[in-house]
Amino acid sequence: PKYSQPTIHVLDASKSAVVVSTLLDEDAKEEYTEDIAEEYDDIRTDHYHNLKDRKYVTLKQAQQRSLNIDLSRYTPVHPNKLGVTVLSNYDITRLIPYIDWKPFFDVWQLRGKYPNRGYPKIFNDTQVGPEAKRVFDEAQEMLQRIVKEGLLRAEGIVGIYQAQTTGDDIQVLDDNRSVLATLFGLRQQADKSSTGSNSPYMCLSDFIAPAGSGVDDYVGVFAVSVGFGCKELCDKFKEDNDDYSVIMAKALADRLAEAFAEELHERVRKEIWGYVELETMDSADLHKIKYQGIRPAPGYPSQPDHTEKLTMWELMNIESLTGIKLTESLAMYPPASVSGLYFAHPSASYFAVGKICKDQVIDYAGRKGMSVSEMEKWLGPILAYDPDESL
């Protein structure tokens, strides 16, 4: 209701091409947007109704039940290389083996039925198998063109720093242990006692040793893109009215960017940081996240605040060193880009912050030096209350 034009939510960026194609189809757009508007109205009504029935703990209570890691049982590995590493014009052929093809097939709305779900089993599906094999083979042909003709360019950067936590925040330190930047964290607040759970209320800062602990700990920051050249490539396809190739090029750029993030994370674990030098995994294990450590991204469940990207970009001078920019809405440009943080502790795991209450929003805004109203704008999807009603 806050926008004059259709606003469509997709679960994954790889699925946006199909939605955009429908919106560009004058014959289908009106009926599609009307259906979406009705669906969203029902979802919005149910959402605020359900929020009234949920229970939450205060931020202070959640902090008192944070994840307590036994520091005596784990010694953080000193990185092989501290500081920033720039990966300019990265070899795309190194990324292809790391591609997760399932989201690629999702772009084309090709989904095999059990037991033929996922790649490569989808080729055995009697209904979608032949079509899946066709688009896959054509993707291989375009990949060969991309590599041979240099149609896309990969740029990346990674930084490994000393770090310590203060409360829910992570202080990034220089060689003299002076604070370079602060990565702010959000903590779970949805009441877990009602479900009989005694699990902790998680925050990313829980995975780093606190200040004063006497433990030297570390955190990583990265950004990668394989989107350079994609716009120019798609513009050429548009000139030929080749919408199919436009979607294919964007889908492959997205897959290559995610593959870059996967390949770089492996290099960080085994070489740059080197905290699991003997790791041996195939691509299936990597996609199932069977390795030690995590790489959560701002704007995603473990840290839903996109404004944290501003700190990352300033800390490593990302735009100047790689060309990867942040838009006004803090999306990355080129679009086929991925960024995030690295945590190495064996207990580090992905989690969803979920809904948070106003006491945390007020506290968080104060720590970041932002107004509560501005913070509510950025954290709108995870607020456990309607900010318009709390005025």
Side-chain angles (χ1 to χ4, degrees):
K2 297 181 183 293
Y3 300 95
S4 59
Q5 294 299 317
T7 303
I8 315 297
H9 173 259
V10 292
L11 292 175
D12 187 272
S14 65
K15 301 178 182 179
S16 60
V18 175
V19 173
V20 172
S21 296
T22 305
L23 292 174
L24 293 174
D25 186 338
E26 293 298 331
D27 294 330
K29 177 182 177 180
E30 183 175 357
E31 182 178 356
Y32 177 68
T33 54
E34 287 178 356
D35 288 343
I36 288 290
E38 291 179 7
E39 179 186 354
Y40 284 8
D41 187 54
D42 291 340
I43 291 174
R44 188 162 48 251
T45 301
D46 291 341
H47 170 74
Y48 285 116
H49 177 75
N50 291 335
L51 285 182
K52 296 178 181 179
D53 297 329
R54 296 181 186 178
K55 295 182 179 180
Y56 299 88
V57 298
T58 65
L59 175 59
K60 185 176 181 179
Q61 289 172 325
Q63 291 169 331
Q64 290 172 342
R65 281 185 53 186
S66 63
L67 176 67
N68 292 316
I69 292 177
D70 187 352
L71 298 175
S72 66
R73 301 183 63 181
Y74 173 74
T75 301
V77 175
H78 187 283
N80 291 328
K81 182 181 180 182
L82 280 170
V84 174
T85 300
V86 179
L87 307 164
S88 183
N89 199 15
Y90 204 66
D91 185 358
I92 288 179
T93 61
R94 296 185 58 158
L95 310 181
I96 294 175
Y98 293 82
I99 292 177
D100 181 359
W101 288 103
K102 182 186 179 302
F104 171 80
F105 293 117
D106 288 342
V107 169
W108 306 103
Q109 298 184 322
L110 296 171
R111 300 177 183 86
K113 295 182 179 179
Y114 180 83
N116 296 317
R117 295 173 183 162
Y119 168 81
K121 294 180 180 179
I122 190 173
F123 299 145
N124 299 324
D125 189 88
T126 56
Q127 291 187 333
V128 303
E131 181 67 7
K133 187 64 168 63
R134 183 185 68 80
V135 296
F136 178 79
D137 289 343
E138 292 175 352
Q140 305 312 301
E141 293 176 4
M142 186 173 286
L143 274 175
Q144 291 179 12
R145 277 195 61 198
I146 287 171
V147 172
K148 184 177 180 180
E149 301 175 29
L151 300 176
L152 299 179
R153 191 177 84 252
E155 299 287 335
I157 188 170
V158 57
I160 309 296
Y161 300 90
Q162 297 184 73
Q164 63 185 18
T165 60
T166 56
D168 291 345
D169 305 325
I170 300 169
Q171 293 180 330
V172 181
L173 312 173
D174 64 13
D175 293 340
N176 298 316
R177 298 193 69 79
S178 297
V179 178
L180 288 171
T182 301
L183 301 168
F184 296 94
L186 291 164
R187 189 171 294 280
Q188 294 173 323
Q189 280 191 275
D191 186 11
K192 299 186 179 186
S193 62
S194 60
T195 61
S197 172
N198 292 318
S199 58
Y201 291 83
M202 306 287 287
C203 177
L204 286 176
S205 62
D206 294 345
F207 304 135
I208 301 291
S213 65
V215 176
D216 292 333
D217 212 341
Y218 309 90
V219 71
V221 183
F222 78 94
V224 297
S225 178
V226 194
F228 296 98
C230 188
K231 181 181 183 300
E232 292 77 7
L233 179 59
C234 290
D235 285 345
K236 291 180 181 178
F237 289 136
K238 289 177 183 177
E239 290 176 2
D240 297 330
N241 295 315
D242 188 354
D243 293 339
Y244 175 80
S245 293
V246 170
I247 296 173
M248 177 69 77
K250 290 181 178 180
L252 288 177
D254 285 339
R255 289 299 88 218
L256 285 168
E258 293 290 349
F260 197 172
E262 195 71 80
E263 192 267 355
L264 180 57
H265 196 182
E266 183 179 67
R267 282 194 63 190
V268 165
R269 295 192 302 273
K270 299 169 70 173
E271 302 171 22
I272 300 174
W273 192 331
Y275 61 86
V276 284
E277 294 177 341
L278 300 179
E279 174 189 283
T280 55
M281 290 189 183
D282 60 22
S283 59
D285 288 336
L286 291 174
H287 297 151
K288 293 176 182 177
I289 318 175
K290 291 187 176 182
Y291 46 76
Q292 177 181 322
I294 58 174
R295 57 170 191 275
Y300 283 78
S302 296
Q303 174 37 296
D305 179 15
H306 282 282
T307 68
E308 285 296 284
K309 280 183 247 179
L310 293 170
T311 302
M312 296 164 55
W313 256 247
E314 182 178 354
L315 172 65
M316 295 201 301
N317 199 14
I318 291 175
E319 181 175 343
S320 176
L321 293 176
T322 68
I324 306 171
K325 302 177 181 180
L326 293 177
T327 68
E328 184 178 344
S329 62
L330 299 184
M332 290 173 284
Y333 187 87
S337 302
V338 181
S339 64
L341 306 176
Y342 292 129
F343 294 86
H345 196 283
S347 298
S349 60
Y350 293 102
F351 62 90
V353 169
K355 300 296 181 182
I356 62 173
C357 301
K358 190 151 190 173
D359 63 335
Q360 180 162 196
V361 176
I362 293 172
D363 185 81
Y364 187 71
R367 282 151 42 207
K368 287 180 70 83
M370 298 173 67
S371 69
V372 172
S373 60
E374 186 178 9
M375 205 72 260
E376 286 177 331
K377 181 190 76 171
W378 288 106
L379 299 179
I382 66 164
L383 298 180
Y385 60 96
D386 184 349
D388 293 333
E389 292 185 0
S390 64
L391 296 177

